[in-house]
Amino acid sequence: MELGVIILGLVVLIFILVRSAGLVEESFVFLAKKLKLNEVFVGFAILGVLTSLPEISVAIQSSQEVPTLSLGNLFGAQAVLLTLIVGFSAIKYRGIKLQRRFREKEIITGLGLISLGVISVIDFRLTVVEGIFLLFTYVLYILYLNKALNGNALKKHVKVNIKKLLHLLVKSFIGIFLLIIASKFIVDLSSELALLLLIPPSIVGVLLLGFGTNLPELSVLLTSKREDNDSENLLLGNFLGSACANVGILGILAILSGGFNINNGVELTPTLTILTISIILFGVASWTGKTITKLEGFVLMGLYSSLLIVEFLVLAKII
């Protein structure tokens, strides 16, 4: 298959993947609002997982044949979230005041969770035991956030429009079906692209899928209103939640694949390095001033640009 056809096919499939995730997302957000859950928690636990459905689908489909494709996707997506997307958010909202949304403990713990994902692949191997630990830790963090942010919210009596709920559930099932189909073809085409260009699948995951599967987060950011504080709360929870959800997905990938070696780990090093730097910068901002300033937003976006330059230089050397 020709290079142009493969790239065009991937672009179309990623678009279908993102739109399918949106169908599933709508019903769950509707329920979360009806339950009157804290908007940060909705963004973190609900949207964070739902906007990560593309990553989940790719992880499941690639776990047996090319797990490193999903690995690159997950770390690439985290890098996009913590640099490009959070940076652009800080610029758009003229700074992100963390104090009004999260306590220091919740942010630092979340960043620690993301760090665990990075640490787990330092030896260029991901085992089943590490996968179970990552997934278990992620679930514990979500339970902690629910207790900290929602309290007894789930115990309230809620009235739901059954007709609307059924309509949304039908759309969700359609979305899940399309997710499965699209992710299957994405994995196949990505593997073929890697073979055609003679590059590691992990690089395809970082450069192409890492950005493409974050289109739901990007679309939410671009369509939100700058003056809407609730949207800002939801967005920040969504971005952090997606980054943390990828740790849980990494655990699922390790479990389903039975563990695997990262044969081309050196090519993944720039992504892991930029991701580590962004975690540190994010942690310092939350620990000190509790605000990610507009200037720091430009710095974060610059980090993502640096990642692209380095990865393309590595790619050029390989080719």
Side-chain angles (χ1 to χ4, degrees), residues 203-222:
I203 295 295
V204 177
V206 168
L207 295 178
L208 182 60
L209 300 187
F211 181 83
T213 55
N214 270 317
L215 288 176
E217 289 86 346
L218 281 168
S219 63
V220 170
L221 173 59
L222 291 172

Side-chain angles (χ1 to χ4, degrees), residues 296-318:
E296 288 168 334
F298 280 111
V299 172
L300 289 171
M301 291 186 72
L303 278 176
Y304 182 69
S305 299
S306 300
L307 170 61
L308 290 180
I309 292 171
V310 173
E311 287 288 9
F312 275 117
L313 288 175
V314 171
L315 186 61
K317 184 177 180 181
I318 296 174

